[in-house]
Amino acid sequence: LMLCYFSSCSSWLPQRVPLQGSHWQSSLLQLRTSLPVRAQPKKKKKVDVRKEQAQKDRMKKKLKKLEKAPPELIPIEDFIAPLKYSESNRVRSLPALSPEESERRVLLLKKWCLFKQKQDEAEKKAIKALVESQQEALKELRLECEELYEAAIRRDEGLFPFERDGPSYTPPLPGYDPPEGKCVDITKVYTQ
Amino acid sequence: DALLGCHRSYRSRPTHGIGKFKYLLPKEAPKTRKGKVQMKEIDTGTEYQYGDVNIQMTSYDLCLVEHFAQYVHRLCNRLSIRVNESYAMPTKTNEVLFMEERGSKMQLDAVLTTHQRVVQIRSLSSTFAPILLEVIQSSQPEGVHLLMKQHTEADFKSRLKSRPELEELLAEMS
């Protein structure tokens, strides 16, 4: 009885829509379109959102921790004496000076002090003279024209930035052909 | 001694709080712990005064640049120009390689260290600025490169260590 029922069912299949493959596929053309599956994708979304939230929180925590630490200055190598100069026990033994030599040195020191004093005084005098002449000129300008005086008092925007190379012992050689080469920067990069 | 030692204050009596005076003094700024590196406010200056000005001296010779920086500092003190800070910038090391005359190999010539010292001054009057410039230029030693410019936040940031992790996180967040 059951067998004949099943056979009748199979013959009753509608010939209009021949089913290909699995019984979930309803259209002939696209393979991907199928009846909406309810269970799986929603679970994926929830887990993703939670994971993303957790990641964001972790990152925020890390950022807070890093931001809490104050920024540090780069250590300056000039002020750190290399170890090899402090470890060794070598002491320099200076020869004894004769009285004439020490006398000569003291007199030389005195001459140098005097020379430096004269230099310093000359500089102070020069500065004073400059300031005085400037003030006098400004006074005269004020008497002449008030507008120009105001314009002169204002600060000069074109003054800064000011750059100047130090003087050199000798002028540059004419027609000097420098060898080819390059400069490589090997400064140590400090990171916090 | 016992009379001086006791400081019982009866809250109902009119003598409560007698002897307190700290509330009358002006509030002190919060003490920075161990000299925390915090950027001081940059002064832009008025029309008749320059704000924060950096005098940067660069050279290969360490002693020369240090002595020149000391001289400039003392000069500013003598001329009663306010000096905010006098610090050193980190040293830069350069390797100079040159090509041999016959051959294609680069040969190491020297390792040069560039040192920089900065003297930061404030409220320099506009009439005195050229005089100061003239004096510093006249005593500039050989090989020392002088640069005078306004102080900016970028200048301050260049003294601090770089934080790649923080920057990476900030880039990821935004």
Side-chain angles (χ1 to χ4, degrees):
Chain A
L1 271 166
M2 295 299 284
L3 281 163
C4 68
Y5 178 71
F6 275 133
S7 59
S8 63
C9 273
S10 59
S11 62
W12 181 75
L13 278 168
Q15 297 299 316
R16 287 171 288 161
V17 187
L19 287 165
Q20 290 182 20
S22 71
H23 57 287
W24 288 117
Q25 269 186 300
S26 45
S27 70
L28 287 163
L29 301 159
Q30 290 99 14
L31 276 165
R32 288 288 170 205
T33 52
S34 53
L35 288 166
V37 186
R38 298 287 171 90
Q40 287 265 299
K42 258 197 180 171
K43 265 193 198 161
K44 274 191 196 159
K45 276 185 202 166
K46 266 191 191 163
V47 164
D48 272 355
V49 163
R50 265 191 222 161
K51 266 193 184 171
E52 271 181 46
Q53 272 277 306
Q55 233 187 355
K56 270 193 180 174
D57 285 327
R58 261 180 277 155
M59 269 173 47
K60 276 188 188 166
K61 263 194 173 176
K62 246 190 178 179
L63 199 79
K64 262 192 180 175
K65 231 189 172 178
L66 283 172
E67 275 190 342
K68 247 192 174 179
E72 286 169 32
L73 287 172
I74 299 176
I76 295 158
E77 291 153 15
D78 297 344
F79 302 147
I80 307 164
L83 286 168
K84 64 173 188 175
Y85 298 126
S86 52
E87 274 175 7
S88 62
N89 302 323
R90 12 181 275 194
V91 175
R92 204 195 286 190
S93 57
L94 295 162
L97 290 169
S98 64
E100 291 94 16
E101 182 63 34
S102 54
E103 189 78 25
R104 188 188 80 95
R105 284 192 189 184
V106 164
L107 285 168
L108 191 68
L109 202 71
K110 281 183 176 274
K111 276 191 208 168
W112 176 251
C113 283
L114 195 73
F115 168 76
K116 272 299 197 182
Q117 190 192 35
K118 288 264 168 359
Q119 204 184 50
D120 198 43
E121 264 174 46
E123 195 185 54
K124 282 189 189 152
K125 216 169 128 178
I127 294 174
K128 217 171 158 183
L130 277 169
V131 166
E132 267 175 22
S133 56
Q134 197 186 47
Q135 290 300 319
E136 228 184 274
L138 281 170
K139 233 195 287 184
E140 291 297 316
L141 185 64
R142 193 161 203 186
L143 290 170
E144 279 287 324
C145 172
E146 194 69 36
E147 273 178 21
L148 287 174
Y149 172 76
E150 285 293 316
I153 287 281
R154 272 163 202 276
R155 77 186 210 185
D156 187 9
E157 301 297 335
L159 191 60
F160 301 118
F162 174 78
E163 232 180 298
R164 189 187 175 232
D165 269 327
S168 47
Y169 281 112
T170 52
L173 289 169
Y176 173 65
D177 184 29
E180 276 179 38
K182 64 177 180 187
C183 251
V184 178
D185 193 6
I186 51 169
T187 332
K188 188 172 167 192
V189 173
Y190 292 90
T191 50
Q192 195 171 358
Chain B
D1 197 36
L3 285 167
L4 291 164
C6 76
H7 19 244
R8 280 159 72 192
S9 49
Y10 295 92
R11 276 180 247 175
S12 51
R13 296 287 176 96
T15 53
H16 174 66
I18 199 162
K20 275 194 196 171
F21 64 92
K22 210 159 183 188
Y23 68 97
L24 292 168
L25 292 171
K27 286 246 167 87
E28 280 175 17
K31 220 169 81 171
T32 52
R33 260 186 281 162
K34 268 195 178 179
K36 256 189 194 172
V37 177
Q38 235 183 23
M39 198 182 79
K40 292 182 195 168
E41 283 169 32
I42 299 174
D43 186 22
T44 40
T46 61
E47 281 176 358
Y48 306 105
Q49 268 186 359
Y50 297 93
D52 282 337
V53 174
N54 274 4
I55 308 175
Q56 292 174 342
M57 295 150 276
T58 328
S59 175
Y60 295 120
D61 189 356
L62 174 68
C63 301
L64 204 59
V65 80
E66 279 242 3
H67 286 230
F68 188 49
Q70 276 180 20
Y71 164 76
V72 164
H73 199 317
R74 285 195 183 168
L75 186 78
C76 292
N77 282 353
R78 209 191 328 148
L79 300 167
S80 47
I81 299 170
R82 194 182 130 175
V83 175
N84 277 352
E85 279 184 296
S86 172
Y87 54 85
M89 293 290 276
T91 11
K92 298 193 182 127
T93 329
N94 274 325
E95 231 178 38
V96 181
L97 309 150
F98 74 92
M99 189 88 83
E100 278 180 60
E101 276 178 40
R102 281 125 204 222
S104 53
K105 208 168 61 154
M106 287 284 216
Q107 203 193 44
L108 178 69
D109 195 20
V111 177
L112 295 170
T113 46
T114 314
H115 309 267
Q116 194 177 51
R117 297 283 181 272
V118 179
V119 176
Q120 203 181 91
I121 52 179
R122 184 180 277 213
S123 52
L124 179 69
S125 82
S126 51
T127 48
F128 195 70
I131 298 176
L132 181 74
L133 224 69
E134 191 66 42
V135 172
I136 295 179
Q137 270 183 80
S138 64
S139 56
Q140 197 180 353
E142 299 85 6
V144 173
H145 180 87
L146 178 75
L147 168 65
M148 277 177 87
K149 59 194 273 285
Q150 307 266 25
H151 184 61
T152 54
E153 207 177 309
D155 290 325
F156 179 76
K157 293 253 157 81
S158 65
R159 287 174 76 191
L160 303 171
K161 284 188 190 166
S162 66
R163 300 162 114 178
E165 303 149 343
L166 191 74
E167 279 164 30
E168 262 178 38
L169 273 175
L170 279 167
E172 265 184 74
M173 290 285 278
S174 57

